[in-house]
Amino acid sequence: MITVLFGGSRPQGNTAQLTQYALEGKQYNWIDLTQYHFKPVRDYRHESKQIESYIDDYQLIIDQVLESDTVIFASPVYWYSVSASVKAFIDHWSESLIDPKYQDFKTKMSNIDFRLILVGGDCPKVKAKPCIKQLEYSLDFLGAKLNGYIIGTAERPGDVMKDVYALERAQEWNAVLS
């Protein structure tokens, strides 16, 4: 199963268009992270507390992620980073690491094919690099791997569909994703 974790502020914007193009003809689960609520992460690493429940929508989404074969993060580039909703979701991985219900969290995450689609307007092929490193380091900490990324260029609505390189990469993904 393919799961898309979408973090764009425009449901039909360039990031959504490029992601849907990469997945044309495929079945996938589209999760718009902007439609869910994430409280600030609870950092209990230096306390004797455990995570016993979630007071936001994180568990609903992480359970779907852990059942996926492929997970695609799709985000516009905002201030040289992924969107706030994507970052808030990733931050919650810290809670899963100390939640007894997710004792196999690292193992399950390491078996997922993670990918990233980014779209930006101001030299994104350079300025989106911090987003890629951020996700690579985060996944590496869990024993998982970022298996590919696509960076699209778009200033105005619909521009990404003129980015020949991004569209070619999306077609390559479409040929290998199942």
Side-chain angles (χ1 to χ4, degrees):
M1 173 175 67
I2 299 170
T3 297
V4 175
L5 297 175
F6 177 72
S9 59
R10 289 181 290 129
Q12 302 304 317
N14 286 299
T15 304
Q17 288 175 29
L18 182 57
T19 305
Q20 290 163 352
Y21 184 78
L23 295 172
E24 193 171 297
K26 308 288 182 193
Q27 286 194 302
Y28 54 90
N29 179 23
W30 185 275
I31 299 173
D32 183 344
L33 293 175
T34 67
Q35 300 302 306
Y36 294 89
H37 180 70
F38 300 104
K39 290 265 199 194
V41 67
R42 297 167 288 174
D43 186 355
Y44 293 158
R45 290 175 297 159
H46 306 290
E47 301 175 34
S48 59
K49 295 181 180 179
Q50 287 186 329
I51 300 295
E52 296 176 358
S53 64
Y54 293 86
I55 51 178
D56 59 16
D57 296 323
Y58 172 73
Q59 187 172 10
L60 171 71
I61 296 168
I62 195 61
D63 287 346
Q64 293 176 67
V65 165
L66 293 173
E67 295 298 319
S68 301
D69 301 306
T70 299
V71 172
I72 299 172
F73 288 94
S75 177
V77 179
Y78 291 137
W79 290 101
Y80 316 102
S81 185
V82 294
S83 68
S85 56
V86 170
K87 179 66 168 84
F89 175 76
I90 292 170
D91 284 349
H92 277 69
W93 292 351
S94 296
E95 293 184 349
S96 294
L97 288 168
I98 60 170
D99 184 338
K101 292 185 298 291
Y102 295 104
Q103 290 180 8
D104 58 352
F105 183 68
K106 283 186 171 184
T107 301
K108 284 188 172 186
M109 292 290 276
S110 71
N111 292 321
I112 297 172
D113 173 20
F114 285 101
R115 294 168 181 262
L116 175 63
I117 293 177
L118 299 166
V119 176
D122 182 20
C123 302
K125 297 207 177 13
V126 173
K127 294 182 178 180
K129 295 291 183 181
C131 302
I132 297 162
K133 280 295 170 198
Q134 176 187 23
L135 194 54
E136 284 177 338
Y137 290 145
S138 298
L139 291 169
D140 184 59
F141 186 83
L142 300 175
K145 184 178 178 201
L146 181 63
N147 291 314
Y149 61 87
I150 300 171
I151 301 172
T153 302
E155 289 281 347
R156 310 280 309 144
D159 277 358
V160 79
M161 300 311 286
K162 300 172 194 167
D163 183 339
V164 175
Y165 179 76
L167 295 176
E168 286 174 1
R169 296 277 297 138
Q171 287 176 335
E172 291 171 9
W173 280 21
N174 188 277
V176 299
L177 291 174
S178 54

